[in-house]
Amino acid sequence: MKKFLLLICFGLMCTMGVQSQSWAPMGAVWYYNVVDPFGPGITYARYEVTGDTVIQDKNCSIITGNAWAVFPGNLDCIYTYEENDKVYIWDPFASQFCLMYDFSLVAGQSYQTSWNGCQSENTISATGTQTINGISLSTYTLAGSSTEFVHYIGEMSSLFPYNFSYCDTIMYDGPFIQGLRCYDDPVIGHYETGLAPYCDYVVGIENPEKETLIRLSPNPGSNTLYIQTSLKDAKFELYDITGRQVM
């Protein structure tokens, strides 16, 4: 009887010690390269899963970020979950979950992303796998783009799809997020792409964690733009996405 009980306990300990892969687990961290559009500065956007909550019966991860992290709609955080190899994000403007990534499809199939009424059709051009720290992760690319999407990590160029931030708008207030530097979570472990010498590499910017000094709203916007700043004697120039000065 003693031997039997010991075997049961050992089996339970082994089961509890095994963690399965998941999207945005607690403690997951992303570092993306950020380039200052108005100067030589290079810094980073840091996103981290800092909590969880339940929205419409879905168990969601809460992703927050540093001062350079860009969230859709200028939000302070986002709520996200994965189901059947599809990653969703909560859209507070539409009060519904919207599809962000879809790893269930094959080449030639399409999916639609939507944020605050801005929709984009995405056709998968190729699928594959990438091995990171001995773990095989499925990947895909979209037609007309070389950006790779990696399961459980996300888009390699920026965390959120382009149309989540810019849609039929004349303004672009930066910063430019230009590729994944590092990713880390309890299952996949630490991964560096080599885009920067190290995850929190900074050039020409004194304090990357400082509070945001400028806030623009609404974003996206079309006719009216409100600028809030704590900077004294600040002067602003506004350019559209083609580089044309509009203010």
Side-chain angles (χ1 to χ4, degrees), residues 72-139:
N74 277 342
L75 300 174
D76 295 326
C77 67
I78 62 103
Y79 306 93
T80 180
Y81 77 97
E82 180 179 19
E83 188 173 78
N84 299 324
D85 294 331
K86 299 179 180 181
V87 174
Y88 296 89
I89 182 176
W90 175 251
D91 181 353
F93 306 103
S95 297
Q96 65 182 17
F97 282 102
C98 299
L99 184 63
M100 188 161 70
Y101 309 132
D102 192 340
F103 291 91
S104 69
L105 305 180
V106 298
Q109 293 184 310
S110 301
Y111 66 95
Q112 189 177 78
T113 56
S114 176
W115 175 266
N116 193 19
C118 181
Q119 298 180 344
S120 176
E121 190 77 14
N122 306 278
T123 300
I124 295 178
S125 59
T127 60
T129 58
Q130 180 176 350
T131 301
I132 297 176
N133 296 334
I135 300 175
S136 181
L137 305 173
S138 59
T139 66

Side-chain angles (χ1 to χ4, degrees), residues 7 53 123 126 208 210 221 244:
L7 287 172
T53 189
T123 300
K210 65 185 177 182
R244 179 173 60 91

Side-chain angles (χ1 to χ4, degrees), residues 82-230:
E82 180 179 19
E83 188 173 78
N84 299 324
D85 294 331
K86 299 179 180 181
V87 174
Y88 296 89
I89 182 176
W90 175 251
D91 181 353
F93 306 103
S95 297
Q96 65 182 17
F97 282 102
C98 299
L99 184 63
M100 188 161 70
Y101 309 132
D102 192 340
F103 291 91
S104 69
L105 305 180
V106 298
Q109 293 184 310
S110 301
Y111 66 95
Q112 189 177 78
T113 56
S114 176
W115 175 266
N116 193 19
C118 181
Q119 298 180 344
S120 176
E121 190 77 14
N122 306 278
T123 300
I124 295 178
S125 59
T127 60
T129 58
Q130 180 176 350
T131 301
I132 297 176
N133 296 334
I135 300 175
S136 181
L137 305 173
S138 59
T139 66
Y140 68 80
T141 55
L142 298 177
S145 173
S146 60
T147 297
E148 192 171 46
F149 296 74
V150 181
H151 204 180
Y152 305 117
I153 295 179
E155 187 176 354
M156 299 301 282
S157 61
S158 62
L159 190 57
F160 306 105
Y162 181 82
N163 69 297
F164 278 25
S165 298
Y166 316 107
C167 177
D168 298 328
T169 175
I170 63 170
M171 71 175 187
Y172 176 66
D173 53 303
F176 292 102
I177 295 183
Q178 298 183 335
L180 181 70
R181 290 183 177 185
C182 306
Y183 175 78
D184 193 291
D185 78 22
V187 178
I188 294 176
H190 185 72
Y191 169 62
E192 297 187 19
T193 65
L195 186 61
Y198 44 89
C199 298
D200 54 359
Y201 176 72
V202 175
V203 174
I205 297 178
E206 293 183 1
N207 184 5
E209 299 291 347
K210 65 185 177 182
E211 293 297 322
T212 304
L213 298 178
I214 300 173
R215 179 175 292 274
L216 305 179
S217 62
N219 185 14
S222 55
N223 298 317
T224 303
L225 173 65
Y226 298 95
I227 302 176
Q228 295 176 295
T229 179
S230 58

